[in-house]
Amino acid sequence: MAIWEPEYECMPREEIEQLQLERLQATLNRVYKNVTCYRNKFKELGIVPEDVRSLADLSKLPFTTKEDLRLNYPYGMFAVPLREVVRIHSSSGTTGKPTVVGYTRHDLKVWSSLVARFMTAAGVSHDDVVQIAFGYGMFTGAFGLHYGSELIGASVIPMGAGNTEKQIMIMQDYRSTALVSTPSYAITIAERMEKMGVDPKTLSLKVGLFGGEPWSEAMRKEIESKLCISATDNYGLSEVIGPGVAGECQVKSGMHISEDAFIAEIIDPETGETLPPGSVGELVLTSLTKEAFPMVRYRTRDITCLDYTPCQCGRTTVRMRKTMGRSDDMLIIKGVNVYPSQIEDVLIAIEGCQPHYQLVVDRKGSMDTLEVQIEVTENIFFDEMRMQKAFLDTVERRLDSVLGVGAVVKLVEPNSIPRAEGKASRVIDKRRI
Ligand SMILES: [Zn+2]
């Protein structure tokens, strides 16, 4: 089986750690010098970059959170002047403003090769025709896989998300061999094929590269049998680089993390304490090569565990298990990150809406649905159906533009939403993922 960059992917553990330490020190110097937020955090703890003499010293360093990115919106966390930035992406924020991330030319080069690594590990080569069914735009997914495919020398079809029948037509006519999408969209495609009477065995499709949302082994089996492909998982997040942090090889027993580019730690999300190898906890990532947007101990909020045992594929890098949940309240709906606080902000901003609300997330077939239930109050009471309809339309439109994902808004009886003691649980997630 091919390995894209064996010099890094198969490096002996001691050498990986030595390289990580050198790159970590360089990263710390860079952020201390160029990013006020990091300098202030280090100063508060009385730390200078020179204090980090071993990888174990990493645990002395402060965490970086989504809140830090929000406070430094848009460019405050950049470690280079804007003129050196050649690409800007963003991801959804917990409140209102998105998170802005940037790449230098060198960052894009590294990003492409990190994606090429996991695509190669999944079995993609220059002989493949890669159909990308992620949305192009501000999110990192489509562009990440696009540039990785081109680097490998595969033929890229930048189809974008949606338009399922056309996806299937292109798959048939252009003889796509690899599909890039969210796992739930892969199921949508499979189900539509069934309805259209298209036999997946008549297609050229052989591998799927799926990411952007958590999914189970059961879902993997379903995709593999419905599309007659090998379905692989990969992991990444815009704040850290986008796709390319980790991906599965064909052994499919965890996603190999590119350890020359990232240091992975597992912490206790409550105490922030670093946990020993093999523990389940929150993944924390430190970037080692990034120029424009370095991240020191970024709290991903994703729950997983790390496996340092050797993999049959020959790669020596640590593997992370499929993510098992979140340590915050973020939801992933149709592959889009949604925070309940974003919805609350929208409701509060609409006059007369100091709301008791509840979110109901479900999956109809393979499509995620989001219903926002709002309790009727004196302010939100309409004798006229017309006014009620106008109100619901306004809320739905605002939610759509803020979240980037459609929601159905429903008015419910006063006091019908249960009141929680302490922190209200606003979300009912009925999906079985
Ligand atoms: Zn492997």
Side-chain angles (χ1 to χ4, degrees):
M1 283 301 147
I3 296 179
W4 185 251
E5 286 180 299
E7 64 276 31
Y8 293 119
E9 295 176 77
C10 304
M11 214 179 223
R13 173 95 344 230
E14 286 148 50
E15 284 177 39
I16 292 179
E17 289 181 357
Q18 183 55 39
L19 181 66
Q20 284 184 323
L21 181 59
E22 284 163 19
R23 289 184 170 178
L24 174 65
Q25 286 164 333
T27 297
L28 296 178
N29 280 316
R30 170 186 285 275
V31 299
Y32 192 79
K33 201 168 133 228
N34 300 316
V35 185
T36 313
C37 168
Y38 283 117
R39 193 164 49 245
N40 291 344
K41 280 179 174 240
F42 285 22
K43 278 187 175 161
E44 259 170 47
L45 295 173
I47 298 171
V48 289
E50 292 71 33
D51 292 336
V52 175
R53 293 194 195 90
S54 72
L55 289 180
D57 289 336
L58 191 62
S59 62
K60 294 179 189 166
L61 298 174
F63 292 116
T64 308
T65 63
K66 190 102 176 164
E67 178 69 3
D68 293 317
L69 308 190
R70 192 180 71 76
L71 292 172
N72 290 284
Y73 175 86
Y75 297 138
M77 299 297 281
F78 282 26
V80 298
L82 211 50
R83 65 175 177 275
E84 289 176 35
V85 170
V86 298
R87 178 89 68 76
I88 288 167
H89 279 288
S90 78
S91 72
S92 49
T94 48
T95 50
K97 301 283 190 191
T99 300
V100 180
V101 300
Y103 302 78
T104 63
R105 202 171 295 285
H106 180 256
D107 289 334
L108 285 185
K109 212 174 139 213
V110 173
W111 187 21
S112 303
S113 50
L114 295 179
V115 173
R117 285 184 195 177
F118 79 74
M119 294 190 77
T120 304
V124 176
S125 76
H126 55 80
D127 293 324
D128 280 291
V129 179
V130 182
Q131 183 164 336
I132 297 182
F134 273 144
Y136 280 78
M138 294 301 267
F139 295 119
T140 47
F143 280 98
L145 273 290
H146 183 112
Y147 280 78
S149 306
E150 282 191 355
L151 184 62
I152 289 174
S155 317
V156 187
I157 306 174
M159 176 63 198
N163 215 341
T164 309
E165 293 196 1
K166 194 169 175 201
Q167 299 271 7
I168 295 166
M169 183 198 83
I170 283 178
M171 233 172 242
Q172 291 175 301
D173 296 351
Y174 299 10
R175 295 188 292 278
S176 312
T177 60
L179 172 66
V180 171
S181 72
T182 59
S184 53
Y185 191 56
I187 291 187
T188 302
I189 292 176
E191 285 169 350
R192 187 66 62 88
M193 274 186 195
E194 237 168 74
K195 274 195 198 133
M196 291 163 68
V198 174
D199 179 0
K201 290 197 193 74
T202 63
L203 300 173
S204 307
L205 217 54
K206 59 171 195 169
V207 60
L209 300 121
F210 303 118
E213 63 185 15
W215 51 310
S216 61
E217 283 303 320
M219 212 163 151
R220 188 206 301 269
K221 295 238 156 58
E222 189 180 345
I223 294 171
E224 291 191 327
S225 77
K226 282 192 162 150
L227 285 177
C228 301
I229 58 170
S230 165
T232 62
D233 195 4
N234 64 78
Y235 175 84
L237 59 173
S238 302
E239 296 85 345
V240 173
I241 198 165
V245 173
E248 279 181 334
C249 65
Q250 289 172 59
V251 178
K252 295 179 192 169
S253 83
M255 296 177 272
H256 287 278
I257 297 178
S258 280
E259 286 186 279
D260 56 312
F262 307 100
I263 298 177
E265 299 171 87
I266 296 290
I267 63 159
D268 178 330
E270 299 296 324
T271 64
E273 192 190 337
T274 310
L275 299 176
S279 313
V280 172
E282 182 183 324
L283 179 68
V284 170
L285 292 168
T286 298
S287 73
L288 298 174
T289 64
K290 286 173 77 194
E291 294 179 339
F293 199 77
M295 277 288 113
V296 176
R297 303 196 86 202
Y298 183 73
R299 291 192 58 168
T300 66
R301 304 289 174 180
D302 286 317
I303 304 293
T304 184
C305 69
L306 301 179
D307 182 357
Y308 287 88
T309 61
C311 183
Q312 291 164 35
C313 72
R315 289 175 184 81
T316 51
T317 45
V318 67
R319 283 163 292 151
M320 62 179 273
R321 222 160 84 187
K322 268 180 173 305
T323 54
M324 295 175 245
R326 299 274 306 171
S327 70
D328 64 4
D329 56 1
M330 188 184 89
L331 297 160
I332 302 180
I333 299 170
K334 295 180 190 165
V336 177
N337 299 348
V338 173
Y339 293 91
S341 57
Q342 290 176 295
I343 295 169
E344 190 162 318
D345 285 350
V346 168
L347 298 181
I348 288 170
I350 294 173
E351 204 188 348
C353 211
Q354 181 64 6
H356 266 292
Y357 70 97
Q358 180 166 271
L359 313 178
V360 182
V361 188
D362 205 349
R363 185 166 281 174
K364 303 254 157 63
S366 60
M367 278 307 265
D368 292 339
T369 58
L370 170 62
E371 184 177 288
V372 179
Q373 301 176 343
I374 307 171
E375 271 187 16
V376 171
T377 62
E378 279 171 29
N379 289 334
I380 316 172
F381 177 76
F382 308 98
D383 314 325
E384 281 183 62
M385 284 305 283
R386 190 174 48 86
M387 282 176 66
Q388 183 175 326
K389 173 97 176 35
F391 172 79
L392 292 176
D393 284 350
T394 307
V395 180
E396 284 180 3
R397 227 180 12 252
R398 296 256 188 103
L399 285 173
D400 193 29
S401 84
V402 170
L403 304 178
V405 60
V408 174
V409 179
K410 264 196 187 152
L411 294 178
V412 296
E413 294 291 310
N415 296 312
S416 63
I417 293 173
R419 306 293 193 262
E421 285 177 26
K423 198 171 180 283
S425 171
R426 301 285 195 188
V427 183
I428 299 175
D429 197 338
K430 295 178 170 170
R431 296 173 295 183
R432 261 174 300 154
I433 299 176

